[in-house]
Amino acid sequence: MALLPIAILSILGLSWWMGWGVLRVLVAIFIVWVVVLALMLAAPAAEIRAGLGFDPQLWLAGGMLLGLAIGYFAIVGRLRAEAERRWGTEDAPRFMPVAAPDAPSATPAPSAEARAKTEDQALDRYARHIVLREIGGPGQAKLRDARVLLIGAGGLGAPAALYLAGAGVGRITLADPDTVSVSNLQRQIIYRTADAGRAKGMAAAEALRALNPLIDVHALRKRVTAEDIDLIAQHDLVLDGSDQFADRAAINAACARAGVPLIAGSIAQWEGQLTTYDPARGAPCMACIFPQAPAPGLAPACAEAGVVGPLPGVIGAMMALEAVKQITGAGEGLAGQMLIFDGLYGETRRITLQRDPDCPVCSGLAQRAPEA
Ligand SMILES: [Zn+2]
């Protein structure tokens, strides 16, 4: 029986060398188990089995344990593959591959009939946009082709995400490191009580897909930092609804570097504000206006200061409205303007923001020509 440990050790060594997964190692051990069992049963006399120290009952029990382990790892592997198929991995977000116009597509193109059906559905779904003079068919096509990154699927990000999904923004990425807590539900009405404890991005993505199956939604469970320039550059527009100054400053710096416009909203107690930072097209960035973090205690987050439930809905919906205008070119956006809403007295005012020529973030960055 000394052969058995040697066989198992050599399988483990081989698997380490070949980079096998647990499941494959277990299956290899199982094959050895079957071969040994067959040899022992084929042995002519019981004396030989006894002489070799072979106990059939022990051997069968070991085989059953091995079978259970294989079943367990097979199920785990299948669940993981399914999750990656649906959500993608952090390194490889699940985006549809964008083929060059003349390159052969990896997946077969949908039939003309299926395309016509989708177009009919879209015409029906977006009819109220299409009759708007400022949006119309061309504006709706721009929304369909737009890629928007929403940072934070909380009070501001969630209502903005719902409206952008409803409006037919073709690709939405939701990035949020947190899970849903019961204290979120007072204002983050995208979630249900049963979602408590789930990753916010995943739960919110589910709601968006249920609202509009014609769009592509992807969830990332991560905090976006100043290093995420590549992630931001994969999008046409970023909406920031995070509530910590350090996070907002990092996102501003990454957007400025990537040359992607940033619609930023913030709320506290009864008041909210929003603006569009776009230094690549001449507008100020966040560091032009707020070069330094406020003194501790001066700008407390919602958790300490409190926030009235419908306020994030108001400001989040305004962020989505600015996003629709930014994408379709309708009206005039909030670049260089800050809109301030006082919910306690029902007042709105607008202030003009100036770019700081010595801004530590955006001075010296290349300007982009305004899009025609
Ligand atoms: Zn700046």
Side-chain angles (χ1 to χ4, degrees):
M1 286 324 284
L3 281 177
L4 188 62
I6 293 172
I8 291 178
L9 277 178
S10 45
I11 288 171
L12 290 178
L14 182 69
S15 64
W16 174 78
W17 187 59
M18 301 282 284
W20 284 358
V22 178
L23 188 61
R24 198 174 283 192
V25 174
L26 288 174
V27 169
I29 294 176
F30 188 71
I31 291 170
V32 172
W33 179 86
V34 170
V35 169
V36 172
L37 184 71
L39 286 175
M40 290 303 167
L41 291 179
E47 291 89 335
I48 297 177
R49 293 206 286 268
L52 286 170
F54 177 69
D55 180 348
Q57 279 180 352
L58 208 63
W59 196 249
L60 284 174
M64 275 166 69
L65 280 178
L66 205 53
L68 281 175
I70 289 173
Y72 170 78
F73 282 103
I75 289 170
V76 167
R78 181 167 294 190
L79 288 176
R80 182 173 301 157
E82 171 68 10
E84 279 179 11
R85 187 183 66 74
R86 289 182 65 177
W87 312 111
T89 59
E90 270 214 358
D91 302 330
R94 192 185 69 88
F95 279 147
M96 307 278 281
V98 181
D102 53 347
S105 170
T107 48
S111 69
E113 200 180 319
R115 259 205 317 269
K117 196 174 166 207
T118 309
E119 266 168 36
D120 275 355
Q121 285 175 349
L123 274 178
D124 193 20
R125 182 178 285 266
Y126 306 126
R128 304 298 183 279
H129 267 173
I130 291 168
V131 296
L132 281 178
R133 188 170 55 86
E134 294 82 359
I135 297 182
Q140 195 59 47
K142 285 181 187 169
L143 288 168
R144 181 200 60 209
D145 295 337
R147 303 161 300 171
V148 175
L149 171 63
L150 281 132
I151 301 174
L156 295 170
L162 281 170
Y163 274 115
L164 292 184
V169 168
R171 289 183 194 175
I172 295 177
T173 308
L174 290 161
D176 197 307
D178 293 334
T179 53
V180 179
S181 73
V182 172
S183 68
N184 295 149
L185 300 174
Q186 163 251 17
R187 62 199 179 285
Q188 299 178 19
I189 57 172
I190 194 172
Y191 304 116
R192 300 289 163 259
T193 303
D195 289 325
R198 293 184 67 199
K200 279 189 174 177
M202 301 285 180
E206 235 173 67
L208 301 191
R209 290 192 189 102
L211 175 61
N212 190 350
L214 300 184
I215 61 168
D216 191 20
V217 183
H218 179 69
L220 293 173
R221 189 168 182 181
K222 71 175 261 112
R223 166 165 278 117
V224 176
T225 69
E227 313 300 312
D228 287 310
I229 297 169
D230 287 345
L231 171 70
I232 286 168
Q234 289 170 26
H235 297 84
D236 306 305
L237 179 63
V238 175
L239 270 64
D240 180 16
S242 57
D243 70 346
Q244 300 291 326
F245 184 89
D247 289 341
R248 302 167 65 79
I251 292 158
N252 172 66
C255 286
R257 289 265 210 89
V260 175
L262 166 65
I263 296 175
S266 66
I267 43 170
Q269 298 185 331
W270 296 87
E271 197 173 280
Q273 57 192 42
L274 73 153
T275 184
T276 301
Y277 298 121
D278 195 6
R281 288 156 203 85
C285 82
M286 179 183 149
C288 294
I289 317 300
F290 306 107
Q292 281 176 344
L298 214 63
C302 288
E304 300 108 63
V307 61
V308 63
L311 180 67
V314 173
I315 303 296
M318 282 181 170
M319 290 168 73
L321 177 60
E322 290 306 316
V324 168
K325 285 161 58 187
Q326 176 86 26
I327 293 164
T328 59
E332 198 177 289
L334 285 176
Q337 300 281 324
M338 180 170 282
L339 192 148
I340 300 169
F341 174 72
D342 180 347
L344 203 50
Y345 295 97
E347 283 174 357
T348 303
R349 61 187 189 279
R350 239 166 86 140
I351 56 173
T352 300
L353 306 177
Q354 298 295 342
R355 194 162 178 192
D356 176 3
D358 301 319
C359 172
V361 170
C362 72
S363 61
L365 285 177
Q367 293 286 305
R368 299 187 180 204
E371 274 142 46

